Amino acid sequence: MDHPKMDYAPTSVPATVLKILCCQCGVLMEPNPANMCVSCLRIHVDITQDIPKQGILQFCRNCERYLQPPFEWISCALESKELLGLCLRKLKALNKVKLVDAGFIWTEPHSKRIKVKLTVHGEVMSGMTLQQVFVVEFTVANQMCDDCHRSEAQDYWRALVQVRQKSDNKKTFYYLEQLMLKHKAHKNTLSIKPESNGLDFFYSTESQARKLVDFMTAVLPCRYQHSKKLLSHDIHSNTYNYKFTYSMEIVPVMKDSIVCLSKKVSQQLGGISPLCIVYRVTNSIKLIDPSTAQLAEVSSSAYWRDSFQSVFKSKQLTEYTVMDIEPIMEKDRVQFPGQGQLSYKHMLADVWVVRSCDLGLTTDSIHCRSHLGHVLKPMDTVLGYAIADSNANDSNFDKLPKSSLPDVILIKKNYPDRARHRRRTWKLKRMTTDTEMNMESDHNDMDEFMDDLEEDKDLRQNINIYKNPDVGIESAAEDDDDNDGAPRISLEEMMEDLCVYEDDVMEVYE
C-alpha cells in the first residue's frame, strides 16, 4: 500500500546563550575576557586613575582673565566654551581615554570653585570598553597678570603717543576726544596726561600705541615721527628691550579760521581765492571761498607737502549788525573754466554791515560779499573778521594786492539771545585722568565746540550725544519750543546714557 508523501518544514531551534558566573560576586552574566560583571569591573578597574580630579586656575581680578600656560592670559566667561577648553587643557593624561561628553556643574560664582563633569570611554582587559563618569574640581587662585603689574607700577610704560597741535584753540582736541570715546580707541590706555599743547597717551605695548596712531591718522590730518630708546639688552638670548615714542602733530588750522593759500595751492584747488574760510576739519581740511561759494578739500598729505597757517583765528572775531542784504542770482555768479566745485547749500549775497559797538554812532556801513545769504536778514548779528583793520603776519598774505582784499569776511551768524552757559538738554562724555583737563581757561573753547555741534548737523553725526538726566523731558520740550532762532539738538538725536566700560573714568560735561 502506497502512502502519500508529506512535506515537513524545518523548525528553527533557539540558540542557547551560554552564561557564566562572575568571578567576584557570582552573579550570572554573559562571558567576557575579564570574567567579571560590569559592576565589579567598575569597582576593580579605574580608567581615570591617571587623570587628576583637582586642579588650579590662575585668575587676574583686575582684568578678569585666566592664565593659559605658559604665558598667555585669555578672557573667559563663566560656563563658556573657552573656559571649558581651558579646564580640559589643564588635565594631563586625558588623551589616554576617549572623551565623550563634558560640561559644567553649577557652583556659586563667588565660591572660587569650578566643577567639570566628564564622560570618557576606555579600553580594559583584552579589548573591553568601559564608560566612566567623574567630576574634576578646579580651584580659582588669584594671580595678577604681567599687564596689570605694569599698569599698577608707577610710570611704567612701553610706548608713548604724544599728540600736539601748535594752536591756542582746543576745539580740535575736543573733537578727537569724542571720536575716541565713540570708537573706544582709548580702552587699552594705561594713563592719559594733559600737556600744554596736547595730550600724552601711555601704553604697555607698541602694537597698542600703533593702533592709536593709525586711528588718528584716519580721522584727522596729522603726521608723526617715530623713535625708540634702548633700555636693556640680553647678549645670551639676543633680546632687546625698548621704549617707543610716537610724536603726532595735528594741523594747526581749525574751524572758522581764515587761511591764506599760496598761488600754487590756489591753482591746484581749482582757482579758488587765496583767502578762504576753514569750513570743517575732519579727516581732511574743507575750505570755502566766501566771495564765490567755491569749495575745496585739502588732504593730509597735500597739506604737509605745502602747508599753510591760520591768518585769522576765532578769538579775533568781531560782532557786526546786518543793515541790508541783497542776494546774488545764480546767473550773476562768477564762473570760469576749470573752476572747482561750487556749494549750492550756501547762497551768495552782498551784505552791508556795521560794527555792533558802533551801531547808532555812525551811518557808514561796510560792504562785503558773503556765502551766508541763506541765513542772514537785516538786523541780524553776525561774527566776522575785520581784514582791513588787522595786521597779519603771513608771507602769503603779504603778497596779496591790498586793493583786492575785502574789508570784512563774515564767518557765521551770531545768536545773542542764546546764553553761552545756559543749561543744555544734552551732554558729552569726557576722558579725565587729571583735573588740568577741566581748567577754567578751557571752558570757552568747550562752549564754542558745543555751539559748533548745535549749528553743524554733519559734524555731530560722528559724535555720541547723550540725554541730560538732570534736565527733565518737560524742560527739554519747552527748550525745543523756544523760538529764539538759536539752533538746537533734537531729542531724536540724543542717546541714553549707558556706561559700557565700568573701568573707564569718565566725566560728564554739560
Side-chain angles (χ1 to χ4, degrees), residues 182-223:
K182 181 174 183 178
H183 298 282
K184 303 177 182 65
H186 67 295
K187 62 180 181 179
N188 295 322
T189 308
L190 295 179
S191 63
I192 303 174
K193 183 180 179 182
E195 296 293 340
S196 58
N197 293 325
L199 298 172
D200 288 347
F201 297 87
F202 296 89
Y203 290 92
S204 58
T205 60
E206 185 193 7
S207 60
Q208 295 173 351
R210 182 67 190 185
K211 289 181 181 179
L212 180 64
V213 172
D214 295 339
F215 174 79
M216 290 185 179
T217 53
V219 299
L220 284 178
C222 54
R223 62 180 179 180

Side-chain angles (χ1 to χ4, degrees), residues 412-429:
K412 61 181 179 179
K413 184 179 178 180
N414 188 31
Y415 301 93
D417 296 334
R418 177 177 64 181
R420 176 58 60 85
H421 300 286
R422 65 176 170 83
R423 194 174 185 82
R424 289 183 169 93
T425 59
W426 56 279
K427 64 183 180 181
L428 297 175
K429 288 187 175 181

Side-chain angles (χ1 to χ4, degrees), residues 327-435:
I328 299 176
M329 305 304 295
E330 183 68 25
K331 60 184 180 62
D332 297 330
R333 280 193 175 191
V334 177
Q335 297 184 3
F336 53 87
Q339 188 178 19
Q341 178 187 0
L342 296 178
S343 174
Y344 294 97
K345 178 180 177 182
H346 302 84
M347 179 186 295
L348 282 179
D350 288 325
V351 186
W352 287 264
V353 296
V354 175
R355 289 178 185 264
S356 297
C357 60
D358 297 336
L359 191 62
L361 302 178
T362 181
T363 58
D364 296 334
S365 58
I366 305 173
H367 171 263
C368 63
R369 181 160 290 187
S370 176
H371 62 294
L372 302 177
H374 61 294
V375 296
L376 295 181
K377 60 182 182 296
M379 300 312 297
D380 281 347
T381 56
V382 61
L383 298 177
Y385 295 105
I387 305 298
D389 300 337
S390 301
N391 184 16
N393 184 15
D394 186 83
S395 59
N396 294 329
F397 185 80
D398 295 337
K399 296 177 183 179
L400 298 179
K402 303 301 181 183
S403 58
S404 63
L405 295 178
D407 295 333
V408 174
I409 294 181
L410 303 181
I411 301 300
K412 61 181 179 179
K413 184 179 178 180
N414 188 31
Y415 301 93
D417 296 334
R418 177 177 64 181
R420 176 58 60 85
H421 300 286
R422 65 176 170 83
R423 194 174 185 82
R424 289 183 169 93
T425 59
W426 56 279
K427 64 183 180 181
L428 297 175
K429 288 187 175 181
R430 301 287 310 279
M431 294 184 301
T432 55
T433 56
D434 201 310
T435 56

